[in-house]
């Protein structure tokens, strides 16, 4: 299929952009295979910055609406509304209603192409020199080599070569050293979607591993798998471990009736079982829809607005995710105990499981709070771990796909929002700021890079994504790009951080939900400039005081010498 076959209108002249990312202005709409381009024709001398073309990926459009400006007088033309996945709303006034409708059909078709093989990432030519290839920046063998410096209790296995055991796992996984591949294969038959236990993270200080998998297929008959029990028990050394289930008790019981379930205490006696429920996919999807709707509402009283924010359920989902991650971290780093293994799973192990495991790492490890360390967490715990980005992020808050609708959910955005809550409480402990999180959110839904394409490593390999596209990390690692994400107040904090999960401490991510509602659509520039100015001032002041202190020390030493010479013993 050629994208040009879907284009009914290539150019709309003298369209009036009533609402969008810049002040209202007149221009031409040009439609190409991957982009809509708005080219201003009338530019105000007072606002020369708005003379630039505005480019929008069709993939970034969530929903398209078209209606006449006046139902009584269709000759006045039509309104074309584009609701984007990053919550931006663009409204055009087009003088001819039929052209408006044809434009709407064109954008609707181009923004809802099934699959990702026609995505812009396959046609994008990088305008910058790639200094650091992001596709090779986080190699599993290098990760394992670093792990070997801390422990020799694990090995790297190729049991999943050619993705024959588990289609959502990478080909190489890290597993307990004493467990053979035959046990892993048998365990895979006992776990949902064949996601057998693999190492997620190893905490050096307490020598405690975090292992993730999917739910056991216990079923109504209480099925048992001794090989799976052996794998988990091999993690036990001196202390009992924890199995953390990210489902509610009722959800786990319902899953057992359908063939799933949870580990029976009688078969896993060396493990404590804890439930840390995180909302399910559909709940998260509906919560975001309600939250975006509330944040777009203006004609509402304060009391009613606050009530609707609570009823939306988004902040509750973020708080529950943060609580689950904190519980995992507390099991690893509590009461002075060492070598306490933690196993995390939910249902299939590709959504809430990844939220809990990745948040725990950020809490426990200061390296995960750097830009590269955070990228490594996303690469290992989300991209390589099999989170189905193409399914979950096909639509956002405004629409649902006809095919992917039941599978769509902003799970990754819940994770990013939970990280934002950490940054809000520990603003100097992260090398990056919330701009980096928003950047990742936008690229997870629509991007010229290939990092978030596909639903697994298997799909990436089958479609040549790593060979045919540019990695997002290549863009981030370029010095000119990285500086825009650096937290100017960063002061590395070693060790664990413990953010509060009290309701009054969980706040609305204003730059995410409200950034398009400010008249100038700019949140970060003035504040960042102020912070940068203050930071530069106090860094200069620190250097002056340090130099003065050194001078005073030298004076004290010289005076001491003179005193000894003048007063010999």
């Amino acid at each position: 299929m050629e994208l040009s076959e879907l284009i009914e209108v290539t150019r709309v002249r003298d369209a009036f952009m009533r609402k969008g990312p810049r002040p209202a202005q007149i221009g031409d709409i040009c439609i190409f295979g991957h982009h809509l381009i708005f080219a201003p024709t009338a530019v105000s001398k007072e606002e020369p910055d708005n003379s630039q073309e505005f480019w929008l990926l069709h993939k970034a459009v969530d929903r398209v609406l078209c209606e006449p400006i006046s139902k009584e007088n269709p000759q006045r033309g039509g309104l074309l509304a584009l609701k984007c996945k990053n919550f931006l709303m663009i409204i055009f006034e087009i003088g001819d209603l039929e052209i408006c409708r044809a434009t709407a059909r064109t954008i609707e078709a181009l923004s809802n192409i099934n699959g990702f093989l026609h995505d812009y990432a396959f046609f994008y030519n990088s305008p910058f020199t790639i200094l650091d290839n992001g596709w090779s920046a986080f190699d599993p063998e290098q990760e394992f080599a670093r792990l070997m410096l801390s422990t020799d209790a694990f090995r790297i296995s190729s049991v999943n070569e050619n993705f024959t055991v588990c289609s959502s796992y990478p080909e190489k996984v890290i597993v307990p050293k004493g467990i053979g591949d035959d046990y892993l294969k048998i365990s895979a038959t006992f776990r949902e979607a064949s996601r057998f236990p693999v190492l997620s993270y190893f905490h050096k200080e307490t020598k405690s591993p975090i292992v993730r998998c999917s739910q056991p297929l216990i079923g109504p008959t209480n099925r048992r798998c001794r090989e799976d029990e052996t794998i988990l028990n091999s993690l036990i050394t001196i202390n009992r471990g924890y199995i953390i289930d990210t489902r509610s008790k009722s959800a786990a019981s319902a899953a057992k009736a359908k063939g799933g379930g949870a580990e029976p205490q009688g078969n896993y006696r060396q493990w404590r079982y804890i439930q840390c429920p995180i909302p399910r996919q559909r709940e998260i999807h509906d919560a975001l829809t309600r939250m975006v709707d509330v944040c777009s509402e203006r004609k509402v009283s304060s009391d009613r607005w606050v009530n609707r924010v609570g009823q939306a359920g988004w902040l509750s989902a973020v708080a529950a995710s943060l609580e689950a991650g904190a519980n995992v971290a507390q099991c690893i780093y509590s009461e002075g105990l060492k070598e306490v293994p933690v196993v995390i799973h939910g249902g299939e192990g590709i959504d809430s499981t990844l939220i809990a495991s990745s948040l725990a790492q950020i809490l426990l490890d200061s390296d995960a709070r750097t830009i590269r360390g955070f990228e490594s967490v996303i690469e290992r715990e989300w991209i390589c771990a099999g989170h189905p980005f193409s399914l979950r992020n096909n639509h956002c808050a405004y629409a649902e796909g006809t095919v992917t609708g039941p599978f769509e959910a902003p799970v990754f955005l819940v994770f990013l929002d939970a990280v934002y809550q950490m940054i809000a409480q520990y603003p100097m402990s992260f090398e990056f700021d919330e701009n980096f999180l928003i950047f990742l959110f936008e690229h997870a839904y629509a991007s010229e890079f290939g990092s978030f394409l596909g639903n697994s490593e298997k799909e990436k390999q089958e479609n040549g994504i790593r060979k045919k596209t540019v990695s997002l990390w290549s863009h981030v690692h370029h010095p000119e790009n990285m500086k825009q994400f650096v937290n100017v107040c960063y002061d590395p904090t070693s060790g664990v951080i413990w953010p509060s999960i009290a309701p009054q401490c969980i706040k609305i991510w204003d730059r995410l939900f409200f950034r398009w509602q400010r008249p100038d659509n700019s949140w970060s520039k003035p504040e960042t400039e102020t912070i940068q100015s203050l930071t530069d001032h106090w860094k200069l002041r620190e250097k002056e005081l340090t130099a003065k202190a050194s001078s005073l020390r030298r004076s004290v030493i010289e005076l001491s010498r003179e005193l000894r010479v003048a007063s010999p013993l």
Side-chain angles (χ1 to χ4, degrees), residues 27-292:
D28 293 350
I29 299 173
C30 303
I31 299 178
F32 297 92
H34 296 104
H35 290 91
L36 176 150
I37 303 173
F38 179 75
T41 54
V43 181
S44 170
K45 293 181 179 180
E46 290 78 16
E47 297 176 334
D49 292 343
N50 295 325
S51 63
Q52 299 295 321
E53 294 176 345
F54 169 65
W55 288 55
L56 178 69
L57 273 172
H58 295 308
K59 197 72 176 178
V61 177
D62 202 25
R63 189 177 184 186
V64 182
L65 299 173
C66 179
E67 60 183 30
I69 295 176
S70 171
K71 293 182 180 179
E72 292 77 18
N73 185 12
Q75 300 301 321
R76 290 184 58 188
L79 291 176
L80 174 66
L82 306 179
K83 295 184 175 183
C84 300
K85 295 174 182 176
N86 65 350
F87 314 141
L88 169 65
M89 174 89 75
I90 307 175
I91 299 177
F92 294 104
E93 288 185 18
I94 298 175
D96 189 309
L97 181 58
E98 289 306 314
I99 292 178
C100 184
R101 287 170 175 165
T103 305
R105 288 194 299 270
T106 298
I107 299 173
E108 179 77 25
L110 291 171
S111 62
N112 284 284
I113 298 173
N114 288 329
F116 52 82
L117 295 180
H118 292 282
D119 278 19
Y120 181 54
F122 288 100
F123 304 89
Y124 173 72
N125 291 318
S126 174
F128 58 89
T129 302
I130 297 177
L131 304 176
D132 186 358
N133 186 1
W135 290 126
S136 58
F138 307 103
D139 182 69
E141 303 230 355
Q142 293 177 0
E143 295 286 339
F144 179 69
R146 282 192 286 270
L147 174 67
M148 288 296 290
L149 298 175
S150 304
T151 179
D152 61 351
F154 296 89
R155 68 182 179 90
I156 190 165
S157 171
S158 299
V159 65
N160 199 39
E161 189 173 4
N162 297 321
F163 310 98
T164 53
V165 176
C166 177
S167 60
S168 60
Y169 271 169
E171 290 189 286
K172 293 183 178 179
V173 292
I174 300 176
V175 297
K177 190 174 184 179
I179 301 298
D181 287 352
D182 53 339
Y183 271 49
L184 299 176
K185 291 177 181 178
I186 295 173
S187 174
T189 65
F190 181 67
R191 294 280 173 176
E192 176 83 13
S194 301
R195 291 176 68 88
F196 55 88
V198 298
L199 181 70
S200 172
Y201 171 74
F202 185 83
H203 191 247
K204 299 176 185 177
E205 184 179 342
T206 62
K207 298 189 180 303
S208 302
I210 296 177
V211 172
R212 50 176 161 75
C213 55
S214 58
Q215 67 172 339
L217 301 178
I218 304 293
T221 59
N222 290 320
R223 181 184 170 203
R224 184 177 184 180
C225 179
R226 296 185 184 278
E227 290 79 4
D228 186 81
E229 296 167 20
T230 301
I231 293 174
L232 293 195
N233 289 337
S234 69
L235 300 169
I236 301 292
T237 52
I238 58 177
N239 290 303
R240 294 177 67 185
Y242 292 91
I243 296 176
I244 293 185
D245 195 334
T246 59
R247 302 168 295 177
S248 63
K249 189 173 182 179
S250 58
S253 300
K256 183 176 181 180
K258 297 178 181 178
E263 292 80 0
Q265 189 65 44
N267 299 337
Y268 296 83
R269 296 178 181 176
Q270 299 185 70
W271 296 84
R272 298 181 179 92
Y273 185 79
I274 302 176
Q275 284 177 314
C276 300
I278 295 175
R280 302 293 94 193
Q281 297 165 222
R282 194 70 227 175
E283 296 174 82
I284 291 175
H285 178 277
D286 294 344
L288 180 65
T289 301
R290 291 190 294 266
M291 188 67 177
V292 172

Side-chain angles (χ1 to χ4, degrees), residues 280 306 389 419 431 533:
R280 302 293 94 193
V306 171
F389 279 98
V419 176
E431 187 185 17
S533 176

